Amino acid sequence: MSTEIINRTKVFVKEKLSGDSSGHDWWHIYRVWNMSKKLQEKEGGELLVIEMAALLHDIADWKFNSTDEEGILLIQKWLSQVNLDQSSAQRIIEIIKDVSFKGAGVKDKMVSIEGKIVQDADRLDAIGAIGIARTFAFGGKFGNSMHDPESNAEMHASFKEYKKSNGTTINHFYEKLLLLKDRMNTQTARKIALERHQYMEHFLKQFYNEWDNVK
Ligand code: ADP
Ligand code: NI
């Protein structure tokens, strides 16, 4: 029963996100889904809720829908179509609403272990080598410039401010990516995040060296 729900959801998500070039394609979902399963082995939590939230987490993303409500409605419709019980469906929806990063100055409020795991898995995919690649893909897709030494990073104090920002991709490292290692929920993810974080620091150092012709 749950295998069938997962398989149908996989097909649904794959179809919905096909053609994305902003780093939110099917393979991002696939990596978050796999990482969530790996974290669950160590950290616990109900597997079906975790897998479904991981698979559906970007369907309702504000970056792609005209309104958040529109995306949530789409997910609700899907969950009833696969006959998922009301209580699991509600838990999945709550996770998806809270999963996104909402600004450097905005506190995370994920409460369930299932949500904490999916959030960690999503954030692990935002850092390290893949995180770097996704960020530049996103910046290009949305028309942001790569780097401008004269523009400074902004610590967004509200989700509204964060949402409307169109700063440079390098600034996004300071506005989000480099903050993530200290915002992991689970011990297991924190460990993985550390190595990916160091890789990004190394990348930035090299980037500035090349920019300034240091060596
Ligand atoms: P979240 O829900 O936490 O935002 P996502 O899975 O939607 O996580 O992916 C967010 C990723 O999208 C970021 O890690 C980054 O790679 C990219 N992204 C989002 N906003 C920007 C931005 N302003 N500049 C560059 N990349 C961005
Ligand atoms: Ni995501």
Side-chain angles (χ1 to χ4, degrees):
M1 167 70 177
S2 58
T3 316
E4 199 209 317
I5 294 180
I6 301 279
N7 283 337
R8 285 178 61 193
T9 304
K10 216 170 109 179
V11 175
F12 169 73
V13 172
K14 238 180 177 166
E15 203 257 334
K16 277 261 169 264
L17 300 179
S18 70
D20 174 272
S21 59
S22 75
H24 294 79
D25 56 311
W26 159 250
W27 293 110
H28 162 63
I29 306 303
Y30 175 83
R31 292 188 300 269
V32 172
W33 177 38
N34 260 333
M35 180 59 82
S36 298
K37 287 193 275 187
K38 188 177 147 163
L39 296 178
Q40 190 274 345
E41 281 173 21
K42 296 255 164 53
E43 304 283 341
E46 199 182 309
L47 196 55
L48 180 62
V49 171
I50 291 175
E51 289 193 59
M52 289 296 280
L55 285 169
L56 293 163
H57 84 271
D58 271 337
I59 295 280
D61 201 301
W62 58 269
K63 299 183 215 65
F64 312 103
N65 291 286
S66 40
T67 64
D68 298 354
E69 292 78 31
E70 206 174 279
I72 293 293
L73 277 178
L74 191 73
I75 296 174
Q76 260 158 352
K77 209 169 125 203
W78 176 255
L79 294 175
S80 71
Q81 214 166 307
V82 292
N83 290 320
L84 202 76
D85 66 278
Q86 274 293 320
S87 133
S88 304
Q90 201 44 46
R91 286 162 69 199
I92 293 164
I93 297 281
E94 288 310 315
I95 294 172
I96 293 171
K97 280 186 183 162
D98 289 341
V99 76
S100 268
F101 183 83
K102 294 183 168 61
V106 183
K107 258 203 156 124
D108 295 315
K109 54 173 192 172
M110 194 63 90
V111 281
S112 66
I113 181 63
E114 288 82 5
K116 288 180 173 175
I117 284 175
V118 176
Q119 189 171 57
D120 279 358
D122 193 25
R123 291 180 173 183
L124 285 172
D125 208 57
I127 60 178
I130 288 179
I132 294 171
R134 289 182 68 219
T135 301
F136 283 98
F138 186 103
K141 165 95 185 174
F142 288 95
N144 303 336
S145 63
M146 186 173 81
H147 179 47
D148 175 357
E150 287 169 2
S151 93
N152 293 319
E154 286 175 56
M155 293 300 114
H156 303 109
S158 71
F159 186 31
K160 210 168 144 203
E161 261 180 53
Y162 177 69
K163 258 205 269 202
K164 65 168 205 261
S165 145
N166 59 353
T168 69
T169 299
I170 287 292
N171 281 344
H172 192 66
F173 282 75
Y174 301 93
E175 291 163 358
K176 174 181 178 186
L177 311 188
L178 294 169
L179 309 175
L180 294 180
K181 79 164 174 28
D182 293 326
R183 289 174 70 151
M184 291 291 155
N185 302 297
T186 68
Q187 192 58 38
T188 315
R190 211 165 296 132
K191 252 192 231 157
I192 304 170
L194 204 60
E195 195 201 332
R196 296 186 184 191
H197 180 89
Q198 283 161 358
Y199 188 84
M200 289 193 296
E201 288 200 318
H202 192 74
F203 166 80
L204 287 171
K205 189 162 176 255
Q206 176 76 13
F207 187 97
Y208 296 131
N209 281 345
E210 292 178 15
W211 192 279
D212 295 328
N213 232 339
V214 172
K215 54 183 173 185

